[in-house]
């Protein structure tokens, strides 16, 4: 059985609706849809260790995951499937989900970080696999590569900030086509679409679905910077435009995801392929006075779609809570491969089959820069505790008060004690796991700053 994992950057769960994403809504109606899937972090760096390695971000010292030669207990889904005989390939245009942060582990091919030049990309992958990533030579080449890659993109006349989903589809389908005729070789393909990530600059035909007049790329980027960095200055009219631009990007993703699934069907491989559609985190478009995905744990940021098309399973809707750390165990289970012993999550198929109840706890964390003081615990019954470091704590019953307004805070409720104890235990456990463990990329590394700037997190 083949596996296609499609992750979308910054896609809120509530956009999987006929108004915005009708094709994905139809896909979900014919598949197994988990309606309460929770991201284990509010950003790509915080979420992708969970997706690829079933590992909480706060359990790793640094960003990304450790390199393959570091030893230790971390194993990626791609490594597990590769060991089981799968051909593996990944396609991403987010540096924080790239080989620079060791997410190339287990992939035969990884197209990453906006490389429009095949030769440049081949050189980069050779460097990553053959040089000490902590050494001065590697770091010098990595920084030079980042600048050269940007030059290639400019020279190639790329109109948009990120490589579009249709281009990633083409790359992945070339990989699928190359497997045609290979005896008994199943494949695993991962695509990470960046289109719903700010700046929202969808092609004009998609903007026209939500706006009378399409905005220029320059105007889209201006609004994105304003909403992300100066939200207090955004007018009501501008917030509405930002929401429409975000919806336009989601609509574009909708068409491209359908095109990818249709292409698998046209090639006669869909009936032999499990397709999982999810997101690394959600997005705010004016809620709580923010745009984008700040290091906070509002429902708009942590609730994500999670849809599983399995050729041998009937359509179903599963309301029990799952987490992104369940992604790798679920996909391993789907194809009958043993899960890695040190994965933190568990297979979501157990919920479909009724063998277990909803995952009682979902935890989220962000970074060392705030000493992991920003975190959350979400219980399966909808009770949720947010710790936003110096901004304090908030406790909500999100089923009763989904807007999570300050006046809805229930820190005085009996449920608070259980939430606080569970979150304390989680933080203590994460701290113990970080101590003496192999390291990812240091958050103070100059490369990290460059990537934050590239993705619009720093002005």
């Amino acid at each position: 059985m083949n596996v296609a994992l499609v992750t979308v950057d910054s896609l809120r769960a509530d956009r999987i609706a006929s108004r915005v994403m009708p094709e994905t809504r139809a896909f979900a109606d014919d598949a197994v849809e988990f309606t309460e899937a929770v991201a284990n972090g509010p950003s790509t760096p915080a979420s992708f260790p969970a997706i690829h390695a079933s590992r909480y971000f706060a359990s790793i010292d640094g960003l990304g995951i450790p390199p393959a030669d570091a030893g230790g207990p971390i194993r990626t889904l791609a490594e597990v499937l590769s060991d089981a005989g799968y051909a593996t390939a990944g396609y991403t245009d987010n540096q924080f989900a790239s080989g620079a942060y060791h997410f190339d582990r287990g992939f035969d091919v990884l197209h990453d970080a906006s490389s429009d030049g095949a030769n440049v990309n081949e050189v980069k992958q050779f460097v990553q696999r053959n040089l000490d990533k902590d050494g001065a030579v590697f770091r010098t080449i990595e920084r030079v590569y980042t600048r050269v890659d940007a030059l290639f993109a400019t020279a190639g006349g790329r109109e948009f900030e990120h490589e579009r989903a249709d281009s990633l589809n083409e790359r992945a389908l070339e990989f699928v086509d190359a497997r045609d005729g290979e005896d008994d070789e199943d494949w695993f393909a991962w695509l990470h679409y960046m289109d719903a990530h700010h700046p929202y600059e969808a092609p004009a035909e998609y903007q026209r679905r939500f706006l009378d007049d399409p905005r220029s790329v320059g105007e889209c980027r201006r609004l994105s910077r304003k909403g992300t960095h100066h939200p207090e200055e955004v007018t009501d009219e501008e917030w509405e435009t930002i929401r429409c631009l975000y919806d336009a990007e989601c609509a574009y993703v909708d068409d491209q995801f359908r095109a990818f699934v249709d292409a698998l069907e046209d090639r006669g491989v869909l009936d032999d392929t499990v397709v999982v559609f999810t997101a690394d985190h959600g997005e705010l478009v004016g809620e709580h006075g923010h745009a984008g995905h700040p290091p906070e744990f509002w429902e708009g940021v942590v609730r994500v779609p999670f849809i599983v098309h399995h050729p041998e399973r009937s359509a179903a809707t599963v309301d029990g809570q799952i987490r992104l750390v369940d992604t790798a165990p679920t996909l391993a289970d789907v194809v009958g491969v043993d899960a890695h012993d040190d994965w933190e999550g568990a297979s979501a198929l157990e919920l479909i089959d009724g063998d277990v109840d909803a995952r009682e706890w979902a935890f989220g964390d962000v970074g060392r820069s705030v000493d992991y003081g920003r975190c959350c615990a979400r219980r399966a019954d909808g009770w949720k505790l947010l710790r936003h470091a110096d901004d304090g704590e908030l406790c909500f019953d999100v089923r009763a008060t989904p807007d999570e307004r300050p006046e809805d805070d229930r820190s005085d409720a009996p449920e608070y004690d259980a939430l606080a104890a569970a979150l304390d235990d989680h933080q203590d456990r994460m701290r113990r796991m970080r101590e003496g463990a192999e390291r990812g990329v240091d958050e103070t590394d100059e490369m990290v700053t460059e990537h934050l700037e590239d993705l619009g997190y720093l002005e």
Side-chain angles (χ1 to χ4, degrees), residues 50-54 77 323-335 337-340 343-349 359:
I51 293 171
H52 278 301
S54 191
L77 174 64
R323 306 78 48 96
L324 286 182
V325 291
D326 298 324
T327 305
T330 299
L331 287 174
D333 190 12
V334 161
V335 298
V337 173
D338 290 339
H340 180 52
W343 281 348
E344 293 285 319
S347 174
L349 295 190
R359 304 302 175 197

Side-chain angles (χ1 to χ4, degrees), residues 60-321:
I60 299 169
D61 187 5
L63 299 179
I65 56 177
D69 58 5
I74 291 178
R75 294 280 286 169
T76 67
L77 174 64
E79 287 174 312
V80 168
L81 293 181
S82 179
D83 288 347
Y86 277 71
T88 58
Y91 304 90
T92 173
D93 190 15
N94 187 319
Q95 294 96 324
F96 288 111
S98 75
Y101 297 86
H102 314 310
F103 288 111
D104 53 349
R105 289 178 54 171
F107 284 109
D108 302 325
V109 176
L110 182 66
H111 168 76
D112 68 23
S114 311
S115 174
D116 285 328
N119 292 334
V120 176
N121 195 46
E122 289 167 6
V123 170
K124 177 173 182 276
Q125 292 199 37
F126 174 84
V127 168
Q128 288 177 332
R129 291 192 173 106
N130 292 279
L131 289 182
D132 175 12
K133 292 185 179 181
D134 291 325
V137 173
F138 172 84
R139 294 189 176 279
T140 299
I141 292 176
E142 180 76 331
R143 292 179 185 123
V144 170
Y145 171 84
T146 300
R147 294 180 174 87
V148 170
D149 187 48
L151 181 61
F152 266 75
T154 303
R158 257 178 51 184
E159 180 181 356
F160 301 105
E161 184 79 9
H162 305 292
E163 184 169 354
R164 280 287 176 188
D166 63 339
S167 175
L168 296 184
N169 284 351
E170 290 179 9
R171 296 179 189 277
L173 291 169
E174 288 176 3
F175 165 77
V176 171
D177 291 340
R179 309 278 72 73
D180 187 30
E182 296 286 341
D183 293 337
D184 300 323
E185 184 181 41
D186 292 321
W187 50 261
F188 167 48
W190 163 53
L191 297 84
H192 184 59
Y193 296 158
M194 282 294 292
D195 308 273
H197 189 285
H198 59 76
Y200 319 126
E201 47 187 15
E205 62 266 31
Y206 291 92
Q207 292 192 38
R208 289 191 183 97
R209 298 186 189 181
F210 304 94
L211 290 166
D212 292 335
D213 298 308
R215 303 304 195 263
S216 67
V217 170
E219 176 66 2
C220 292
R221 294 181 183 181
R222 183 192 71 81
L223 286 171
S224 175
R225 286 193 297 271
K226 190 173 182 180
T228 303
H229 299 293
H230 306 286
E232 71 284 353
E233 299 176 6
V234 178
T235 67
D236 290 344
E237 182 179 359
E238 287 175 327
W239 278 126
E240 181 59 27
T241 299
I242 288 171
R243 282 188 284 271
C244 289
L245 290 170
Y246 176 70
D247 288 347
E249 289 284 23
C250 294
Y252 171 80
V253 167
D254 185 53
D255 278 355
Q256 298 310 317
F257 175 60
R258 172 51 67 184
F260 178 69
V261 173
D262 287 349
L264 295 180
E265 186 169 26
D266 291 344
R267 286 161 169 77
V269 299
L270 184 60
D271 287 343
D272 297 311
T273 303
V274 173
V275 181
V276 172
F277 180 91
T278 187
D280 58 348
H281 52 79
E283 190 84 336
L284 298 180
V285 282
E287 302 90 345
H288 309 289
H290 284 295
H293 37 280
E296 299 173 357
F297 296 89
W298 311 109
E299 289 290 278
V301 175
V302 300
R303 287 285 297 282
V304 294
F306 199 96
I307 305 165
V308 180
H309 157 84
H310 191 303
E312 299 173 2
R313 285 184 175 266
S314 301
T317 300
V318 182
D319 294 327
Q321 176 171 274

